[in-house]
């Protein structure tokens, strides 16, 4: 059926159907403790694969219920015949009452939660199982204002579905959802993270190590996680499991204290998914404990957004332009500018309209915001040196770069080299992967990391300036020599 969802409906409704192996794994995550009646919520039910896996578990003795009522919300009426067929067959041998709801889950849930006078009050659910639609919520949309009525501030339907489902659970009700990993550290998901952590305890998270395998039928290239939450419960240890793909044959299980999942005092509430109980170098080292503020450095996304300044872009520099820097201009230690073969502009006109986006020519540390999934490293840092642009007074950093600067001015040469060397260590890359499933590196991610002291960064930078082209093991050893 996965293939049956046509592309238009896929994008209109965020339709991706869960493969049977994953659905079964998800149903297996609920802790068996509820006896009596179960009220199951399947929000965005598709053809009913998740509810079916839940009912299969019950049928094979994995739950102790007397009766199960399933509320299956599915907005796409064309899927209803399949959904009915999936659920009705269980009536023959289970005490199950399937209710198919064709309304928009967001509006029905909000109306019920806000106690709208004419709205139907939904029940409090004991269980929720979901693979919610992935779709951005525009800031002026009906969904956004509806969600605000119940205090939910979020940017995507998937997080809206999870937040609403938590709100609809009874106390100690359990939720299992498969969602993109972006909520763990995406800057726009902070209110959602706060909401989840306030209302529920994270019991388990499962990470698919391979981004492109779990949903292979549907070409979904995101890293996906499965989360198991319990509403209103005390937050204890968290079980983190990993497997390469939906065969689960190489599954590893570890238990972590909650402070390894969300670092105490982290204002962003990043949700880490450690893959090994051993603490990494970055977490262990007392020598790596400074914030960027402590070392007097800021990091920003490159301020020049090329498509907004189209008429000022030039393929090659001339007397009226300044260098415009893209990730393609940096390779290892080499800055290659201007690069005629790059299919990006090399320069931008300097005038009253563009002036405010430039930084003075100087030493900077830049980190690519996007890497391709084939690339080994997620964090790739390079030094910008003023003598690579001999006649330039100012530089334009394009939006695909993150730039470390000092109040929009350059850094000292040794500090720029030190930051680049530190960011290019294996330890940093490993640490980054514990909280980000993206190939994308946000300025917020870099802002939140801990760094060596300014003095140690300068020592590291001076070492790097003396080396010709240090290889990875040398860079890693150098970090250790700082006491890390
Ligand atoms: C990612 S699919 C998952 C389907 C199914 N749960 C599964 O796991 O195979 C999400 C489903 O949500 C439905 N959907 C999208 N927006 C919805 C809304 N506002 N209310 C109810 N269902 C919605 C889509 O039509 C789609 O079938």
């Amino acid at each position: 059926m996965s293939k049956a969802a046509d592309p238009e409906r896929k994008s209109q409704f965020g339709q991706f159907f869960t493969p049977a192996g994953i659905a079964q794994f998800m149903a297996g995550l609920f802790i068996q403790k509820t006896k009596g009646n179960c009220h199951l919520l399947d929000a965005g039910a598709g053809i009913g694969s998740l509810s079916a896996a839940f009912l299969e578990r019950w049928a094979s003795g994995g739950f102790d219920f007397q009766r199960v009522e399933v509320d299956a919300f599915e907005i796409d009426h064309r899927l209803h015949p399949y959904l009915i067929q999936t659920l009705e067959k269980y009536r023959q041998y289970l005490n199950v009452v399937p209710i198919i709801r064709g309304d928009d889950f967001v509006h029905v849930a909000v109306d019920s939660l806000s106690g709208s006078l004419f709205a139907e009050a939904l029940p409090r659910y004991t269980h929720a199982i979901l693979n919610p639609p992935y779709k951005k919520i525009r800031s002026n949309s009906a969904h956004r204002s509806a969600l605000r009525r119940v205090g939910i501030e979020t940017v995507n339907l998937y997080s809206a579905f999870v937040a609403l489902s938590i709100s609809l659970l009874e106390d100690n009700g359990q939720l299992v959802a498969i969602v993109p990993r972006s909520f763990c550290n995406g800057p726009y998901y902070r209110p959602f993270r706060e909401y989840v952590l306030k209302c529920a305890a994270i019991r388990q998270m499962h990470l698919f190590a391979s981004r492109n395998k779990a949903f292979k039928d549907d070409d979904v290239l995101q890293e996906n996680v499965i989360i198991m939450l319990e509403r209103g419960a005390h937050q204890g240890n968290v079980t983190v499991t990993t497997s390469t793909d939906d065969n689960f044959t190489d599954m590893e299980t570890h238990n972590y204290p909650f402070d390894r999942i969300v670092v105490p005092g982290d204002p962003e509430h990043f949700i880490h998914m450690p893959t090994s109980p051993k603490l990494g170098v970055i977490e262990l080292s007392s020598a790596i404990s400074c914030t960027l503020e402590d070392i007097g450095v800021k990091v920003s996304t490159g301020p020049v957004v090329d498509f907004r300044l189209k008429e000022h872009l030039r393929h090659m520099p001339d007397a009226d332009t300044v260098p415009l820097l893209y990730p393609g201009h940096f390779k290892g230690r080499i800055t290659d500018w201007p690069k005629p073969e790059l299919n990006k502009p090399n320069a931008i006109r300097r005038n009253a309209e563009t002036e405010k986006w430039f930084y003075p020519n100087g030493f900077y540390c830049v980190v690519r915001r996007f890497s391709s999934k084939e690339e080994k490293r997620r964090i790739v840092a390079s030094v910008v040196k003023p003598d690579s642009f001999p006649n330039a007074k100012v530089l334009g950093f394009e939006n695909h770069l993150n730039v470390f600067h000092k109040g929009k001015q350059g850094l000292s040469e040794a500090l720029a080299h030190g930051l680049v060397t530190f960011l290019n260590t294996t330890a940093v890359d490993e640490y980054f992967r514990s909280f980000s499933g993206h190939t994308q590196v946000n300025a917020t991610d870099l802002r939140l990391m801990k760094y060596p002291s300014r003095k140690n960064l300068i020592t590291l930078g001076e070492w790097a300036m003396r080396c010709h082209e240090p290889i990875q093991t040398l860079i890693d050893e150098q970090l250790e020599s700082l006491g890390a």
Side-chain angles (χ1 to χ4, degrees), residues 235-297:
Q235 180 67 65
N237 286 356
V238 179
T239 305
V240 177
T241 50
T242 48
S243 69
T244 309
D245 54 27
D246 55 338
N247 288 322
F248 300 98
T249 43
D250 56 354
M251 195 162 90
E252 281 190 35
T253 306
H254 295 291
N255 255 305
Y256 295 97
F258 187 63
D259 60 9
R260 289 248 0 236
I261 306 296
V262 178
V263 176
D266 169 5
E268 292 289 327
H269 306 290
F270 275 10
I271 296 175
H272 295 243
M273 293 195 69
T275 46
S276 148
K278 278 198 291 171
L279 282 171
V281 176
I282 303 286
E283 290 136 311
L284 274 173
S285 170
S286 56
I288 306 173
S289 56
C290 294
T291 61
L292 278 184
E293 208 178 355
D294 295 335
I295 53 178
V297 171

Side-chain angles (χ1 to χ4, degrees), residues 304 309 312 348-358:
V304 178
L309 294 166
H312 304 290
I348 177 166
R349 281 177 57 206
R350 185 176 186 181
N351 55 34
E353 216 181 305
T354 57
E355 186 67 30
K356 63 177 175 226
W357 305 118
F358 302 142

Side-chain angles (χ1 to χ4, degrees), residues 9 12-19 23 26 42-50 73-76 79 101-107 129-135 143 157 161 178 215:
R9 281 147 72 193
Q12 185 186 353
F13 297 120
Q15 270 175 13
F16 293 102
F17 301 136
T18 312
M26 289 172 67
D42 184 347
I47 56 167
S49 319
L50 294 178
F73 281 86
E74 176 48 62
I75 202 167
D76 183 354
L79 296 179
R101 298 175 179 269
D103 308 311
D104 185 317
F105 173 66
V106 174
H107 291 302
I129 190 161
L130 50 156
N131 173 1
Y134 180 92
K135 200 163 187 237
H143 277 154
L157 272 186
F161 269 52
I178 181 160
F215 279 81

Side-chain angles (χ1 to χ4, degrees), residues 155-177:
V155 290
N156 200 296
L157 272 186
Y158 87 76
S159 42
F161 269 52
V162 173
L164 289 169
S165 301
I166 294 174
S167 306
L168 289 167
L169 285 177
E170 63 175 32
D171 266 351
N172 297 100
Q174 303 173 44
L175 174 145
V176 174

